[in-house]
């Protein structure tokens, strides 16, 4: 039997490219479908690249017909919370309409298994910690709302058209795979780990901590950081469950432990051996004090246990990648 092919939308992006590496290692043939508006051609190294937009039905039909994938991993989406507030139109167009178009193209091609990249932003400002999948969904920005809408569409399509899916709600992805030459490279960069490493490297003058008066041990926000390779392994496990006939599932992906902004900065100073200059800024609207996943569902449904939970491990991989990448 030939390669089992998986279509990976957004496979030239951060999480998508690491998922492609994991697919290839697991014996699948990843086919990247990406319009390269925010992804990077250099990140496509584990299978062929089909340049295309998820809003282009004709192009999708052609790619499905050519590659006949067993399923789809769907990462193609805009993902900047701040930008979603100032320009919600592109978030609803790309994330919601684009996903709807992809799903309709899948059904037309009789491909009915999809692993969807969702987010803990669907919960909004959660009152309880850790967060379980049973919490009510109340996103507080258009990015979170767009992902929540797609989860709703998936559930309705599953009921109506026999689609099966895994909606994976990530917490904070970090780290990279420097030995494979891939890692986190956004423009603009908004994520804490790369920003802290830029400050350590002297690429930016300081890192701003937004709010130091939160009800947390050191006053800064606590987040659940998950290594991008652990995220990728969960996608393979979810795909394999769907291929084996599992029912639709919605699963948190996190370590079940959190690190504060100050702890991440302190760990970065240890990993890099450099000082990270810090400035204190005001709280950002919509930032909950603490976000930690209850990941017990991922363990029971997928048998998934993160292998790289320590923030130091994630920072070390991100730093190795950061030093490689900035030599380009």
């Amino acid at each position: 039997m030939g390669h089992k092919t998986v279509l990976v939308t957004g496979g030239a992006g951060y999480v998508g490219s690491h998922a492609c590496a994991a697919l290839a290692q697991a014996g699948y043939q990843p086919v990247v479908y990406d319009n390269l508006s925010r992804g990077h051609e250099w990140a496509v190294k584990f299978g062929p690249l089909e340049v295309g937009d998820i809003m282009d039905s004709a192009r999708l039909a052609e790619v499905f017909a050519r590659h006949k994938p067993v399923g789809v991993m769907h990462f193609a989406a805009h993902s900047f919370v701040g930008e979603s507030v100032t320009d919600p139109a592109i978030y609803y167009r790309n994330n919601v309409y684009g996903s709807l178009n992809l799903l309709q193209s899948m059904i037309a091609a009789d491909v009915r298994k999809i692993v969807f990249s969702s987010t803990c932003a669907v919960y909004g400002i959660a009152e309880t910690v850790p967060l379980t999948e049973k919490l009510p969904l109340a996103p507080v920005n258009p990015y979170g709302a767009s992902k929540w809408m797609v989860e709703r569409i998936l559930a309705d399509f599953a009921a109506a058209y026999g689609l099966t899916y895994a909606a994976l709600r990530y917490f904070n992805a970090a780290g990279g795979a420097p030995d494979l030459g891939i890692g986190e490279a956004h423009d603009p960069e908004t994520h804490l780990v790369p920003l802290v490493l830029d400050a350590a490297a002297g690429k930016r003058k300081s890192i701003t901590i937004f709010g130091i008066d939160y009800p947390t041990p050191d006053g800064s926000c606590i987040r659940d950081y998950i290594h991008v390779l652990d995220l990728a392994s969960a996608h393979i496990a979810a795909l394999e469950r769907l291929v084996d006939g599992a029912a639709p599932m919605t699963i948190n992906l996190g370590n079940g432990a959190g690190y504060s902004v100050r702890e991440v900065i302190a760990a970065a100073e240890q990993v890099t051996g450099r000082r990270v200059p810090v400035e204190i800024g005001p709280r950002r609207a919509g930032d909950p004090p603490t976000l930690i996943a209850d990941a017990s569902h991922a363990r029971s449904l997928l048998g998934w246990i993160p292998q790289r939970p320590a923030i130091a491990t994630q920072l070390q991989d991100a730093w190795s990648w950061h030093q490689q990448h900035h030599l380009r």
Side-chain angles (χ1 to χ4, degrees), residues 18-65:
H18 290 78
C20 287
L23 280 164
Q25 283 162 357
Y28 291 88
Q29 164 77 358
V31 173
V32 171
Y33 186 87
D34 201 299
N35 66 8
L36 299 179
S37 66
R38 299 191 176 188
H40 308 280
E41 205 157 343
W42 51 255
V44 183
K45 33 177 89 190
F46 310 101
L49 168 64
E50 294 280 8
V51 178
D53 197 288
I54 53 173
M55 294 188 244
D56 185 342
S57 305
R59 181 79 179 110
L60 280 167
E62 196 181 295
V63 169
F64 276 117

Side-chain angles (χ1 to χ4, degrees), residues 170-227:
Y170 314 167
F171 283 68
N172 290 41
D179 53 322
L180 300 175
I182 51 176
E184 184 166 17
H186 295 110
D187 183 25
E189 191 52 77
T190 60
H191 292 161
L192 180 65
V193 167
L195 291 176
V196 168
L197 295 178
D198 275 349
K203 295 246 176 342
R204 50 185 307 125
K205 66 180 205 325
S206 64
I207 184 82
T208 303
I209 302 179
F210 295 105
I212 51 163
D213 58 347
Y214 285 98
T216 59
D218 64 24
S220 65
C221 283
I222 292 173
R223 294 292 179 267
D224 189 330
Y225 294 89
I226 179 89
H227 198 295

Side-chain angles (χ1 to χ4, degrees), residues 268-282:
E269 291 185 324
Q270 281 199 299
V271 163
T272 63
R274 306 183 187 196
R275 207 175 66 76
V276 175
V278 167
E279 292 180 24
I280 307 302

Side-chain angles (χ1 to χ4, degrees), residues 80-244:
F80 298 130
V81 168
E83 181 189 56
S84 80
V85 175
T86 54
D87 196 0
I90 64 170
Y91 280 71
Y92 291 117
R93 189 166 66 239
N94 193 52
N95 297 9
V96 183
Y97 174 68
S99 297
L100 175 62
N101 198 54
L102 171 67
L103 291 171
Q104 288 178 294
S105 300
M106 285 175 62
I107 288 160
D110 198 29
V111 177
R112 294 177 193 258
K113 294 172 174 60
I114 182 168
V115 180
F116 173 57
S117 163
S118 191
T119 169
C120 64
V122 297
Y123 296 114
I125 312 262
E127 301 295 313
T128 55
V129 174
L131 282 72
T132 74
E133 293 86 353
K134 295 194 167 47
L135 284 173
L137 303 183
V140 293
N141 54 60
Y143 166 65
S146 71
K147 293 286 192 173
W148 169 69
M149 288 178 194
V150 178
E151 285 195 17
R152 175 66 207 248
I153 292 168
L154 284 167
D156 292 340
F157 272 42
Y161 309 123
L163 184 90
T164 58
Y165 67 89
L168 305 181
R169 295 174 178 164
Y170 314 167
F171 283 68
N172 290 41
D179 53 322
L180 300 175
I182 51 176
E184 184 166 17
H186 295 110
D187 183 25
E189 191 52 77
T190 60
H191 292 161
L192 180 65
V193 167
L195 291 176
V196 168
L197 295 178
D198 275 349
K203 295 246 176 342
R204 50 185 307 125
K205 66 180 205 325
S206 64
I207 184 82
T208 303
I209 302 179
F210 295 105
I212 51 163
D213 58 347
Y214 285 98
T216 59
D218 64 24
S220 65
C221 283
I222 292 173
R223 294 292 179 267
D224 189 330
Y225 294 89
I226 179 89
H227 198 295
V228 65
L229 289 172
D230 284 330
L231 279 183
S233 75
H235 286 71
I236 308 298
L239 177 72
E240 292 187 329
R241 294 298 183 282
L242 295 177
V243 168
D244 288 343

